Amino acid sequence: MPFVQSSVLTAVRYDAATRTLTATFRASGRTYVYENVPQELYDGLIFSDSLGAYFNTHIRDRFRFHEA
């Protein structure tokens, strides 16, 4: 899983075939899988100035998820 520079996330991965976004959080160390995330939201996350802010605005509480 690619590591990212963020105060909130340590790693993020996207699987286009299953439209799942996997994110590992810095504070807890936990990894969650978010379902049916569009590719453009993942792209926006990776290229955003603040991954944490983008994640909270566009992904958190908007998609079904489970802990990996």
Side-chain angles (χ1 to χ4, degrees):
M1 187 172 347
F3 292 95
V4 292
Q5 290 197 350
S6 168
S7 61
V8 175
L9 300 165
T10 58
V12 178
R13 177 180 59 219
Y14 185 75
D15 184 331
T18 61
R19 293 175 42 110
T20 56
L21 178 117
T22 305
T24 302
F25 292 85
R26 187 171 302 283
S28 67
R30 291 182 171 173
T31 299
Y32 295 92
V33 178
Y34 293 82
E35 303 171 2
N36 294 312
V37 177
Q39 173 82 46
E40 54 271 13
L41 282 183
Y42 171 72
D43 294 341
L45 175 67
I46 292 302
F47 293 109
S48 69
D49 291 333
S50 172
L51 275 72
Y54 188 95
F55 181 87
N56 287 335
T57 300
H58 299 284
I59 298 168
R60 180 179 174 207
D61 298 329
R62 296 181 184 269
F63 296 93
R64 288 184 63 167
F65 67 92
H66 63 273
E67 190 166 358

